[in-house]
Amino acid sequence: ETFEFMHSVHAGANITKTKTVYDLKTLGDGSIDKYKCRLVAKGFSQQHGDDFDETWAPVSQLLSMRALCSLALTHDLQLHHMDVSTAFLASKIDERFNIYVELPERFSGPGGERYAKLRKRLYGLKQAAHDWFNLQEKFIMDFDSSFVKSKSEPCMYTSKVGDRVCVILVYVDDYLIACNDDEYVNQFLGKFKEFLGAQKVKHLGTPKNLLQMNVDVQKESIELSQKKHIEKCAEKFGLKDADCSRVITPMEEGDKSLKKAAAPDPSLPYREIVGSLLWIARCTRPDIAHAVAYLGQFSCNYDSSHFNAAKRVLKYLIRTKDLCLTFRKPSSKKTTIRVFNDADWASDRTDRKSMSGGILYVNGSPVNWLSKRQTTVALSSTESEVYAMSVACTDALHVWSLLS
């Protein structure tokens, strides 16, 4: 019931193209879970006003996910992972819009139809994520009137009634739930299945694989790692464990003297490797954050010297792929926020701008970190450190607001 087939479309109607996308979905251990084929719309061919209106859709921050893990350990909350299959197809097309699509090649309706009128949101439509977010948010708020939407994290909902505490964090179609009442979670799951269909909603139990991260939940600790993802990157860029035995740091001192190339070398997958490293740095590896932030400056002007420096970071990751980001249960339930920050004054030899670095802990667990190039030239080491402190305090205030 996603669309109705049509032999033709009336003159003047905008027709959105479609295509098929193929993918492999893997489990936490790297094994294949399923072969996926999805029909998606080419949203760039839609016309504003005729096919869509609002398109914004918030996504939860990784910081919020790590903060929730820390709070779960502190307050003895049980973590649950839920997933919704083909989530965007759950929301129906707004009656104000008539969206027509052309079916991909080698595909047609039972009577040879080449066109279709959409009844539900296809993946790829500009408004698909926006409408899905509104649909699932309405369900959560209607399920229990005690839920309150966070003012700092638009994808976090909290309910506290008596001794029962439930926090729901949404990442598109993945749900991380922290609650001290399993029966309440089962009620939520049952209603969600009634709302979307029993086949769509899956309760995956205690989180094990979340956003390409392996999650190991113990009674006194939670470990996050990306070993399989690092191995996948090593295979993609042709690196082996034997090549990495001597790499003990992400960067060499000489790497800080790299200069921009006159033009990007299209034969090198530099942007791809930096993008892969950036995701790993954001998720679980603060130890490479500075190296990746530095290499990101050359995304439009790179050559073999930059690519070799990026491969060195990946080699370091391969050598240390078993390292985990560990959250430990604190001895006290009193919430504490601690921030450490610094700056290397005038470190960039081309324009003498400084780099800010910092890490933020909640109850002794690292939930956020940054390595960021400053936008102005500091006239002294004190000035560069005050600038870095300002950025770090901004993050601290956000986390304080989130926890409140």
Side-chain angles (χ1 to χ4, degrees):
E1 300 179 350
T2 302
F3 48 69
E4 55 183 86
F5 291 107
M6 304 177 68
H7 283 287
S8 61
V9 179
H10 64 83
N14 181 52
I15 301 176
T16 302
K17 303 286 187 178
T18 59
K19 64 179 290 187
T20 49
V21 176
Y22 303 88
D23 194 15
L24 287 177
K25 187 172 183 179
T26 57
L27 300 172
D29 60 0
S31 61
I32 295 176
D33 179 24
K34 63 178 71 172
Y35 296 84
K36 298 180 67 175
C37 172
R38 174 172 285 162
L39 177 69
V40 302
K42 297 181 178 181
F44 58 83
S45 58
Q46 290 182 264
Q47 295 181 356
H48 183 267
D50 294 332
D51 300 322
F52 68 93
D53 188 6
E54 296 285 357
T55 61
W56 60 269
V59 176
S60 61
Q61 302 179 75
L62 292 168
L63 179 159
S64 303
M65 185 270 292
R66 292 189 288 261
L68 187 56
C69 289
S70 176
L71 289 180
L73 283 172
T74 304
H75 298 285
D76 299 317
L77 304 178
Q78 182 70 33
L79 288 176
H80 300 265
H81 183 196
M82 287 173 48
D83 174 72
V84 179
S85 301
T86 59
F88 288 5
L89 302 184
S91 54
K92 296 182 179 180
I93 294 289
D94 193 313
E95 294 180 355
R96 296 177 297 164
F97 306 116
N98 290 318
I99 302 179
Y100 302 98
V101 297
E102 181 180 352
L103 302 177
E105 295 182 6
R106 304 182 303 279
F107 185 84
S108 60
E113 298 91 344
R114 295 286 302 122
Y115 303 95
K117 179 180 179 181
L118 292 185
R119 295 178 179 175
K120 297 181 180 179
R121 303 287 190 273
L122 271 186
Y123 281 82
L125 291 179
K126 288 181 176 292
Q127 69 269 46
H130 169 269
D131 293 340
W132 160 247
F133 175 79
N134 287 339
L135 181 71
Q136 62 85 33
E137 179 176 82
K138 184 178 186 303
F139 167 78
I140 293 175
M141 303 303 283
D142 290 345
F143 169 74
D144 190 338
S145 59
S146 65
F147 271 110
V148 177
K149 184 177 179 178
S150 170
K151 295 181 180 179
S152 304
E153 172 56 83
C155 300
M156 180 177 281
Y157 309 88
T158 306
S159 170
K160 190 174 186 302
V161 179
D163 294 332
R164 189 198 70 220
V165 177
C166 183
V167 183
I168 300 176
L169 183 66
V170 183
Y171 195 98
V172 187
D173 56 4
D174 277 293
Y175 291 75
L176 183 62
I177 303 174
C179 187
N180 58 359
D181 186 344
D182 289 346
E183 181 60 32
Y184 185 76
V185 175
N186 290 332
Q187 292 177 12
F188 177 83
L189 177 64
K191 290 293 184 181
F192 211 12
K193 286 184 175 181
E194 290 180 14
F195 182 66
L196 295 178
Q199 300 299 321
K200 279 182 169 288
V201 182
K202 300 177 183 178
H203 184 209
L204 304 177
T206 303
K208 294 181 180 178
N209 186 31
L210 186 64
L211 303 179
Q212 298 180 341
M213 291 181 284
N214 295 325
V215 185
D216 185 10
V217 180
Q218 304 293 333
K219 187 174 182 180
E220 300 292 328
S221 67
I222 297 176
E223 292 183 348
L224 304 178
S225 64
Q226 290 175 284
K227 181 178 179 179
K228 293 299 178 183
H229 188 59
I230 292 172
E231 291 175 345
K232 186 177 180 180
C233 290
E235 181 181 355
K236 179 179 179 180
F237 296 106
L239 297 177
K240 301 178 181 178
D241 289 1
D243 303 331
C244 313
S245 57
R246 297 183 180 181
V247 179
I248 60 174
T249 58
M251 294 181 70
E252 290 183 303
E253 186 175 353
D255 289 343
K256 291 301 291 280
S257 60
L258 290 172
K259 296 182 180 179
K260 291 184 177 180
D265 186 343
S267 66
L268 299 174
Y270 181 76
R271 293 170 182 168
E272 289 87 342
I273 192 171
V274 170
S276 299
L277 294 172
L278 181 60
W279 178 249
I280 296 171
R282 288 186 59 207
C283 289
T284 61
R285 298 298 295 266
D287 51 336
I288 68 167
H290 174 68
V292 178
Y294 176 73
L295 293 173
Q297 301 176 38
F298 306 101
S299 295
C300 295
N301 305 86
Y302 56 86
D303 55 27
S304 58
S305 62
H306 304 90
F307 186 63
N308 290 333
K311 286 202 297 184
R312 178 188 172 87
V313 181
L314 183 54
K315 289 179 180 179
Y316 167 77
L317 284 175
I318 297 168
R319 185 177 181 274
T320 59
K321 61 186 177 182
D322 292 320
L323 292 181
C324 300
L325 187 71
T326 305
F327 301 82
R328 303 191 187 280
K329 187 174 182 176
S331 57
S332 172
K333 290 191 176 183
K334 180 181 179 181
T335 301
T336 59
I337 300 175
R338 301 181 71 193
V339 187
F340 300 85
N341 73 283
D342 201 357
D344 58 348
W345 179 44
S347 62
D348 194 314
R349 298 178 185 179
T350 58
D351 58 11
R352 289 304 178 185
K353 290 184 178 179
S354 310
M355 291 284 287
S356 300
I359 189 164
L360 184 149
Y361 292 83
V362 173
N363 299 339
S365 299
V367 300
N368 194 44
W369 49 85
L370 65 90
S371 183
K372 186 177 181 180
R373 191 165 180 261
Q374 296 184 3
T375 57
T376 59
V377 177
L379 303 182
S380 67
S381 59
T382 301
E383 184 177 336
S384 68
E385 290 175 358
V386 169
Y387 187 101
M389 188 183 298
S390 171
V391 175
C393 288
T394 300
D395 286 342
L397 286 171
H398 169 70
V399 172
W400 175 82
S401 174
L402 177 70
L403 298 180
S404 297

